[in-house]
Amino acid sequence: MATVLVLLDHADTGALRGSVLELATAARGLAGPDGAVHGVWVGDEPLDPALPVLGRHGVSVVHAVTTGDADPLLTPVLAEAVVDVVRATGATVLLALSTFENKEAAARVAIATGAGVVTDAASVERDAAGRVVAAKTVLAGTWTTRCAVLTDAAVVLLKAGAVVSSHVEHDAPHAPEVRPRTVAVTARATRVRVVERTPQAPSDRPDLSSADVVVVGGRGTGGDFGPLEALADEVGAAVGATRVATDEGWIGHEAQIGQTGVTVSPRLYLGLGVSGAVHHRGGMQASGTIVAVNEDPEAPIFEIADYGVVGDLFQVVPQLTEELRRLRRG
Amino acid sequence: MRIVVCVKHVPDIQSERALGPDGRLVRDGGDGTLNELDENAVEAAVVLAEQARDAGVDVEVVVVTAGPDDAEDAVRRGLQLGADAAVHVLDDAVAGSDVIGTARVLAAAVRHLGEADLVVTGMAGLDGLTSLVPAALADLLDLPQLTLASSVALADGTVTVRRDLDHATEVLEAPLPALVSVTDRANEPRYPNFQAIMAARKKPVTVLTLADLGVDAATVGVAGARTEVVEAAPRPPRTDRVLVTDDGEAGRRLAAWLLERDLVRTTPATGEVL
Ligand SMILES: Cc1cc2nc3c(=O)[nH]c(=O)nc-3n(C[C@H](O)[C@H](O)[C@H](O)COP(=O)(O)OP(=O)(O)OC[C@H]3O[C@@H](n4cnc5c(N)ncnc54)[C@H](O)[C@@H]3O)c2cc1C
């Protein structure tokens, strides 16, 4: 009976990160009818608000792991906590969100357990032979691949928004059983000292990496994101930026989309005053529909745009927002 | 003191990159370069070395790579950017390594050099973009890891980095020896001048095989890979593309186009997040 583990990323407040439920959904598919989905919750934050939700998404057991004095936000500590649960449960598959922190932990879990790792997966399933196979886009969104894990153990990191989360089909879902564990973390995992940690200010907008619609500003905004924010408010979008816009300090660094920033693949991407440099394309080219507004008809973003407007964003964007408001409110 | 920088030779991201029938990256296009993000790693190492030398410490910066013949270009570039010596692990058995295999080879090369006080890498390779190698390397070398650094400083045997994550900004420190990976925000890589290019020609490149490193070929390359690409296809070109020039109505037309395709919610926004 296969046990599939899901790493339960959560905020300091104890709130689950949204896409964790997508992982639980994918995990049910991998576990099959005879298997089980277990969650790994690292850190001693409250589980209460999350438990029933996890139950509804098919998680039957939550391993609540504390690490003593060791800071579970350090990825070597996280990795040891996860490895401990992997060993205790005999699980052969671990699913986690594809974040930089989880990638680091995954590398260490892979070394400790002999697992093969796939990052940035867009989907995951078993093939006819029972192997774990993940799909992902590579080379700046220009190729799609399917990658099979050849070892018995697999670690797959799924991109936020890759899977549509769904509930389990039964009447009375139970809250998962909570199994507390304490892991004695080794000294080698705790040699790094956190001198300072400043959490990002929370935002009312949807999370950039999993948003359905993303409005992106580049140098062409000249630092005025006002018209973009108004559009984002109208359509419930997340706001992203190019590296130029973040380097200029017009918006926080965490908004940077691209090869060295966040990777997004929303249903709709709107690039406003964005040239479409290859480094930026790497983080957005897999988007469903790409819309671009740019003054320069030669801008490379038009090569990949489904709908391109050659024009001044300060004319086009407010008109677009106004028209959407008019058409939708009648 | 020795600073080792691990670098990778990758196809230029400005070029047409492709996967072969075996699902592996085509590396014989002739337009391979030093992974751009590794230029930041070399720069960080060279700057730290310059500072240490100013303080009277004897420092050597060594660039290390593993890869086919062409990969020598990557370490050559590292020498031009200011590294003092280079190591190229050249062995047919390395081909097809996954991230763990790559980390194994690099870890063995670092160990082969003797004591490294600091190992520096870029945050990711712009080919596979997994970002797994730095953490795997730190684990295999049993070093504290300080990854995704946007700034690095060395003082009194301690390395301190600042890093920006999705949900927090951190300052981390650890005693040497340690491993650091740097982002492209860590510095502005220098542009080598003619003198630096000439000087680089005189710097040594040591070529090593897996046997020299004592690495079992079965644990790396295709033989040791734990994952395999079973299918690869170029993304089909986008069809039905529209390109218009604003005549004063483009915003309105775009709104209609988006609603027609149901790309934004057709019901009025209520502020709730879908
Ligand atoms: C190693 C490395 C990694 C990088 N990683 C990233 C990354 O992750 N993400 C990223 O974004 N970049 C990254 N970059 C930078 C990248 O190469 C580009 O410099 C950057 O994406 C350009 O941003 P931009 O489109 O805002 O600016 P520009 O390229 O300057 O384009 C601005 C565009 O705005 C248009 N414009 C100006 N005014 C208006 C107006 N009023 N209305 C409409 N259009 C207007 C202009 O025609 C122009 O096309 C990286 C670079 C390096 C070297």
Side-chain angles (χ1 to χ4, degrees):
Chain A
M1 201 175 85
T3 299
V4 177
L5 287 182
V6 173
L7 183 60
L8 304 175
D9 276 9
H10 54 88
D12 290 350
T13 56
L16 286 173
R17 301 238 191 261
S19 299
V20 163
L21 300 177
E22 298 163 13
L23 299 180
T25 305
R28 293 203 315 266
L30 291 174
D34 306 325
V37 177
H38 290 197
V40 185
W41 178 287
V42 183
D44 44 14
E45 303 300 333
L47 287 160
D48 280 355
L51 279 177
V53 183
L54 289 168
R56 266 204 300 285
H57 287 81
V59 178
S60 57
V61 177
V62 170
H63 303 271
V65 189
T66 50
T67 51
D69 290 341
D71 183 346
L73 294 180
L74 291 175
T75 48
V77 174
L78 174 63
E80 290 195 1
V82 170
V83 167
D84 188 78
V85 179
V86 169
R87 299 228 161 101
T89 55
T92 51
V93 187
L94 169 72
L95 299 186
L97 293 176
S98 211
T99 62
F100 281 117
E101 292 96 317
N102 286 349
K103 286 177 180 181
E104 291 179 13
R108 290 174 168 265
V109 172
I111 289 171
T113 63
V117 192
V118 184
T119 59
D120 296 305
S123 68
V124 60
E125 60 188 20
R126 285 192 196 273
D127 67 7
R131 295 188 307 185
V132 172
V133 181
K136 65 184 277 188
T137 62
V138 296
L139 302 182
T142 57
W143 283 69
T144 55
T145 63
R146 280 165 42 81
C147 195
V149 177
L150 306 175
T151 38
D152 292 339
V155 176
V156 177
L157 304 185
L158 278 162
K159 289 199 303 188
V163 178
V164 178
S165 66
S166 66
H167 292 187
V168 222
E169 303 279 333
H170 57 70
D171 305 338
H174 300 288
E177 175 198 340
V178 178
R179 291 191 197 153
R181 294 186 77 73
T182 305
V183 174
V185 171
T186 65
R188 77 195 284 271
T190 53
R191 286 173 297 192
V192 171
R193 194 171 76 84
V194 179
V195 180
E196 204 181 294
R197 178 179 284 133
T198 319
Q200 231 89 66
S203 148
D204 299 339
R205 292 228 159 78
D207 197 42
L208 189 55
S209 59
S210 57
D212 215 31
V213 180
V214 173
V215 173
V216 179
R219 195 200 301 273
T221 62
D224 179 5
F225 269 64
L228 281 69
E229 308 249 338
L231 173 60
D233 286 341
E234 179 60 27
V235 300
V239 177
T242 66
R243 195 175 93 177
V244 168
T246 60
D247 282 355
E248 292 287 342
W250 299 339
I251 185 167
H253 171 63
E254 67 283 357
Q256 181 190 318
I257 291 172
Q259 275 178 332
T260 56
V262 183
T263 304
V264 299
S265 42
R267 227 151 52 86
L268 174 64
Y269 164 102
L270 296 126
L272 310 168
V274 170
S275 64
V278 63
H279 302 99
H280 182 71
R281 291 211 301 263
M284 50 64 72
Q285 198 152 349
S287 301
T289 298
I290 296 173
V291 172
V293 179
N294 193 307
E295 276 178 346
D296 175 8
E298 304 294 322
I301 196 162
F302 288 132
E303 291 163 23
I304 55 163
D306 298 283
Y307 195 109
V309 178
V310 179
D312 181 353
L313 75 92
F314 292 103
Q315 301 292 322
V316 178
V317 175
Q319 191 182 71
L320 166 64
T321 309
E322 191 47 50
E323 183 71 355
L324 284 172
R325 190 172 294 140
R326 191 181 71 80
L327 289 174
R328 296 161 75 204
R329 304 242 158 107
Chain B
M1 172 158 131
R2 182 180 290 123
I3 304 178
V4 180
V5 190
C6 296
V7 302
K8 189 172 188 187
H9 187 249
V10 299
D12 188 340
I13 63 160
Q14 305 283 356
S15 71
E16 195 67 39
R17 295 177 297 172
L19 299 180
D22 54 0
R24 277 151 59 185
L25 196 59
V26 177
R27 293 186 192 272
D28 55 7
D31 48 10
T33 63
L34 170 62
N35 175 39
E36 226 174 336
L37 293 169
D38 295 342
E39 289 189 10
N40 299 99
V42 177
E43 178 68 22
V46 169
V47 168
L48 291 173
E50 285 166 354
Q51 289 165 354
R53 278 180 202 130
D54 286 348
V57 181
D58 194 20
V59 193
E60 182 193 32
V61 176
V62 187
V63 276
V64 174
T65 196
D69 285 328
D70 275 6
E72 190 187 321
D73 294 352
V75 283
R76 288 267 170 221
R77 179 77 183 166
L79 295 174
Q80 292 174 4
L81 292 170
D84 305 301
V87 171
H88 177 189
V89 183
L90 177 63
D91 196 311
D92 289 344
V94 172
S97 291
D98 63 6
V99 283
I100 305 296
T102 303
R104 273 211 185 99
V105 175
L106 293 173
V110 172
R111 265 194 230 104
H112 182 85
L113 284 167
E115 290 293 289
D117 302 276
L118 188 67
V119 177
V120 187
T121 73
M123 66 179 281
L126 287 172
D127 48 357
L129 273 178
T130 68
S131 283
L132 293 173
V133 169
L137 198 51
D139 192 358
L140 294 171
L141 288 170
D142 195 13
L143 295 175
Q145 68 177 51
L146 303 97
T147 48
L148 301 173
S150 56
S151 72
V152 191
L154 282 183
D156 307 325
T158 299
V159 56
T160 306
V161 310
R162 170 176 293 277
R163 61 188 211 141
D164 300 307
L165 301 168
D166 284 351
H167 303 288
T169 297
E170 294 175 341
V171 176
L172 303 179
E173 69 174 36
L176 297 182
L179 177 139
V180 170
S181 82
V182 299
T183 73
D184 50 324
R185 304 203 315 143
N187 51 46
E188 198 59 58
R190 66 194 64 193
Y191 199 79
N193 57 22
F194 180 71
Q195 261 173 316
I197 291 171
M198 293 311 287
R201 292 199 182 161
K202 300 206 184 74
K203 296 176 184 172
V205 176
T206 307
V207 177
L208 297 171
T209 62
L210 291 182
D212 295 331
L213 298 177
V215 173
D216 176 359
T219 63
V220 302
V222 179
R226 299 169 178 185
T227 58
E228 179 189 39
V229 175
V230 289
E231 230 177 275
R235 188 188 155 120
R238 290 173 186 268
T239 51
D240 303 335
R241 291 165 44 201
V242 183
L243 183 63
V244 299
T245 301
D246 185 22
D247 56 358
E249 290 295 317
R252 271 187 274 277
R253 253 181 266 125
L254 175 54
W257 189 87
L258 292 173
L259 289 175
E260 220 169 86
R261 278 163 187 72
D262 197 21
L263 287 168
V264 290
R265 293 174 302 180
T266 44
T267 47
T270 55
E272 98 279 31
V273 177
L274 276 191

